[in-house]
């Protein structure tokens, strides 16, 4: 791999904070309820396994980024490793995964808003958040950084507040409900068995979605060699917060009392009649969902622009004007949001779970390709090969887990449909290019 000089202005700790802002979202705040529903109290195991795999993927991506800082990030490296077809397909798989993530975040934001405004239609709430998100993107990279830093700090503070409140409740030990919940969850820890852990893996992985956005930002670091440190610290903080918060939620409420339509952290505190706690956390959930949606918007704009510049998307999409983002790419993004909202309006039932399954799968297909690219481009030690193999195995097990039940199976079929469509498009593009060169 050839090395390029990077002219960034971001410190490593800013990248860590941005990573927290991009990762800590509805995948954790709402998706955790689904993971608990599948795995029971043993949900902690899928989250630990997902953390291990996330670190392996990030470590691979960031080592390639340090060697060759490039704004195309993983799709550029895939192209270098395997040729044009890999860069094209990798970019479009990721683009569609982020569009699906935007959809799931919008649906989640609508659900959270209905907590305060039950009569408000889902599509109206989604439209409002979509419009505000587009305004943030129009402020450019600097506005995006500032926005994510502030919201990242707010989200982390909210979860830390939950941890403190939960610890105080447990230490007081006055609630028979708490003792009953602790005992019930301890006795039922493996009640869902290995299958439960298997089924819960995808939702745990989805909670860590966002680390690839950090990879896109490595080029903005003052010193790209500090990227591994930024990722290690960010993932250590995120994993600690995830595990502690879930463990404490399970200490307060029996796992069967959690609902997939409500954040487990609101459910955990509702029975203790703490003033305004549900409202505070609902506000945090909206902030979390909105900031991760904006991270997806940023990722789509970035990848779409690099695809257009490489002629893997219509070249006009990369055309720059007076705006801080290419206006044609911005229109494409707006269209994607409109389509997402229409789908949400036509299919409100179960739409969040379908979207989260398909989005999670498309995302980890991309993670798998990052590991394959890393294996191809870099010289790995024996331990590096083992680590890479562990990451691939965890991803394969997670994907297979979606076949274990009807709802996630449908999400798997949706993701396969997109893969087939992208494969056909890749074949057409590569064949056309071969004909031109001949």
């Amino acid at each position: 791999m050839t090395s390029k000089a990077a002219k960034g202005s971001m410190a490593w700790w800013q990248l860590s904070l941005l990573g927290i802002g991009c990762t800590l979202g509805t995948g954790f705040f709402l998706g955790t309820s689904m993971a608990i529903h599948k795995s029971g109290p043993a949900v902690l195991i899928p989250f630990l396994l997902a953390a291990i795999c996330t670190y392996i993927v990030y470590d691979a991506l960031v080592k390639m980024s340090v060697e060759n800082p490039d704004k195309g990030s993983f799709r550029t490296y895939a192209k270098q490793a395997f040729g044009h077809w890999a860069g094209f397909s990798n970019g479009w798989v990721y683009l569609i995964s982020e569009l699906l993530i935007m959809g799931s975040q919008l649906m989640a934001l609508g659900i959270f808003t209905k907590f305060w405004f039950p009569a408000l239609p889902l599509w109206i709430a989604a439209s409002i958040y979509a419009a505000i998100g587009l305004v943030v993107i129009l402020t450019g990279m600097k506005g995006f950084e500032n926005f994510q830093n502030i919201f990242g700090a707010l989200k982390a503070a909210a979860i830390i507040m939950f941890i403190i409140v939960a610890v105080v409740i447990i230490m007081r030990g006055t609630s028979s409900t708490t003792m009953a919940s602790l005992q019930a969850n301890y006795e039922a820890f493996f009640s869902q068995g290995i299958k439960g852990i298997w089924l819960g893996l995808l939702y745990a992985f989805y909670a860590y979605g966002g680390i690839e956005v950090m990879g896109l930002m490595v080029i903005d670091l003052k010193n790209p060699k500090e990227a591994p440190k930024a990722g290690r610290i960010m993932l250590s903080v995120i994993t600690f917060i995830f595990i502690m918060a879930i463990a404490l939620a399970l200490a307060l409420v029996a796992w069967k009392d959690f609902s997939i339509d409500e954040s487990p952290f609101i459910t955990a505190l509702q029975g203790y009649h703490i003033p305004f706690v549900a409202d505070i956390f609902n506000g945090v959930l909206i902030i979390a969902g909105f900031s991760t949606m904006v991270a997806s918007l940023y990722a789509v704009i970035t990848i779409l622009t690099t695809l257009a510049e490489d002629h893997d998307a219509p070249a006009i999409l990369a055309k720059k004007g007076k705006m801080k983002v290419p206006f044609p790419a911005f229109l494409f993004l707006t269209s994607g949001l409109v389509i997402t909202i229409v789908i949400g309006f036509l299919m409100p039932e179960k739409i969040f779970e379908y979207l989260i399954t398909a989005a999670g799968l498309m995302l980890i297909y991309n993670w798998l390709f990052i590991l394959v690219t890393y294996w191809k481009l870099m010289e790995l030690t024996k331990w590096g090969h083992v680590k890479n193999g562990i990451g691939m195995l965890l991803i394969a097990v997670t994907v297979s887990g979606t076949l274990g039940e009807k709802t996630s199976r449908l999400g798997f079929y949706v993701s396969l449909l997109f893969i087939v469509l992208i494969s056909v498009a890749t074949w057409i593009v590569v064949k056309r290019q071969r004909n031109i060169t001949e």
Side-chain angles (χ1 to χ4, degrees):
M1 293 174 69
T2 56
S3 183
K4 296 179 184 177
K7 297 181 180 179
S9 59
M10 194 190 303
W12 70 265
W13 61 266
Q14 289 176 301
L15 184 61
S16 290
L17 195 55
L18 270 168
I20 292 171
C22 293
T23 306
L24 191 54
T26 51
F28 175 65
F29 284 106
L30 186 60
T32 300
S33 291
M34 294 179 188
I36 293 171
H37 180 69
K38 312 293 182 189
S39 305
V43 68
L44 297 172
I45 296 173
F47 270 87
L48 282 171
L49 292 173
I52 292 167
C53 190
T54 304
Y55 173 72
I56 292 170
V57 173
Y58 178 79
D59 188 56
L61 176 57
V62 85
K63 281 178 180 174
M64 292 188 289
S65 298
V66 169
E67 182 77 13
N68 177 22
D70 189 285
K71 67 179 180 179
S73 190
F74 43 83
R75 67 165 297 272
T76 298
Y77 310 140
K79 189 174 183 178
Q80 290 171 350
F82 299 103
H84 181 214
W85 72 266
F88 178 91
S89 58
N90 199 244
W92 279 101
V93 166
Y94 183 69
L95 187 72
I96 290 173
S97 78
E98 288 299 324
L99 287 170
L100 289 171
I101 287 168
M102 286 189 321
S104 68
Q105 304 292 2
L106 283 171
M107 293 306 105
L109 286 166
I111 291 168
F112 298 151
T113 305
K114 284 173 81 70
F115 179 81
W116 286 328
F117 306 102
L120 186 68
L122 202 65
W123 71 273
I124 291 180
S127 301
I128 293 168
Y129 292 117
I132 299 171
L134 290 169
V135 171
V136 173
I137 292 299
L138 285 176
T139 63
M141 180 61 190
K142 195 65 183 175
F144 173 74
E145 280 181 37
N146 293 335
F147 170 83
Q148 289 293 16
N149 285 340
I150 294 167
F151 275 24
L154 283 173
K155 290 184 287 186
I159 285 296
I160 291 167
M161 182 185 79
F162 169 81
I163 290 170
I164 292 169
V165 170
V167 168
V168 169
I169 291 171
I170 292 167
M171 286 180 68
R172 283 183 176 177
T174 54
S175 172
S176 58
T177 305
T178 302
M179 297 307 295
S181 299
L182 271 169
Q183 185 176 352
N185 288 332
Y186 175 76
E187 290 174 352
F189 192 82
F190 282 113
S191 59
Q192 302 307 104
I194 297 295
K195 184 180 179 182
I197 294 170
W198 183 46
L199 295 176
L201 269 170
L202 180 67
Y203 303 100
F205 267 80
Y206 189 70
Y208 287 93
I211 54 102
E212 65 290 330
V213 181
M214 288 181 73
L216 292 170
M217 295 177 181
V218 168
I219 195 170
D220 295 306
L221 280 174
K222 289 177 187 174
N223 181 7
K225 290 183 179 178
E226 292 185 321
K229 176 169 69 173
R232 281 195 302 270
I233 290 173
M234 173 265 178
L235 282 170
S236 297
V237 171
I238 282 286
T239 302
F240 174 78
I241 287 174
F242 283 3
I243 298 299
M244 278 292 293
I246 295 168
L248 288 166
L250 288 166
L252 297 178
V253 177
W255 75 273
K256 287 188 176 180
D257 292 335
F258 290 104
S259 166
I260 62 171
D261 297 323
E262 184 176 64
S263 170
F265 310 107
I266 289 180
T267 305
L269 295 180
Q270 267 181 345
Y272 295 91
H273 309 295
I274 303 169
F276 305 112
V277 71
D279 292 291
I280 291 169
F281 263 91
N282 198 60
V284 170
L285 294 174
I286 289 172
I287 288 171
F290 184 69
S291 69
T292 45
M293 184 200 74
V294 171
S296 294
L297 294 175
Y298 171 81
V300 168
I301 282 283
T302 303
I303 289 294
L304 188 62
T305 303
T306 61
L307 282 166
E309 287 172 349
D310 284 353
H311 305 290
D312 287 336
I316 192 172
L317 292 173
K319 187 178 180 182
K320 293 180 173 63
K322 294 180 181 179
M323 297 170 65
K324 294 183 179 179
V325 296
F327 185 66
F330 181 78
L331 284 179
F332 177 92
L333 186 62
T334 305
S335 302
L337 284 170
V338 171
I339 291 167
T340 296
I341 292 165
V342 170
I343 291 171
F345 177 63
L346 295 176
M347 297 174 57
E349 293 297 324
K350 288 280 184 181
I351 187 68
F352 181 74
E353 195 164 354
Y354 295 148
L355 280 175
I356 205 173
T357 303
L361 284 167
M362 295 291 285
L363 191 65
I364 63 174
Y365 294 156
N366 180 262
W367 285 15
L368 181 62
F369 216 103
I370 288 171
L371 294 180
V372 173
T373 302
Y374 178 60
W375 168 78
K376 176 75 172 176
L377 284 181
M378 307 290 284
E379 290 185 14
L380 305 188
T381 62
K382 285 184 180 179
W383 169 239
H385 280 291
V386 170
K387 196 168 68 170
N388 222 42
I390 291 170
M392 291 181 184
L393 179 62
L394 284 170
I395 289 172
V397 170
T398 300
V399 172
S400 67
T402 60
L403 299 174
E405 61 172 10
K406 184 179 178 181
T407 305
S408 58
R409 200 180 302 128
L410 182 59
F412 172 74
Y413 293 148
V414 170
S415 74
L416 275 190
L417 174 63
F418 282 120
I419 292 295
V420 169
L421 291 173
I422 292 169
S423 298
V424 171
T426 303
W427 179 77
I428 292 169
V429 167
V430 171
K431 187 178 180 183
R432 184 180 297 167
Q433 186 186 45
R434 192 179 296 129
N435 290 337
I436 292 171
T437 55
E438 289 173 356

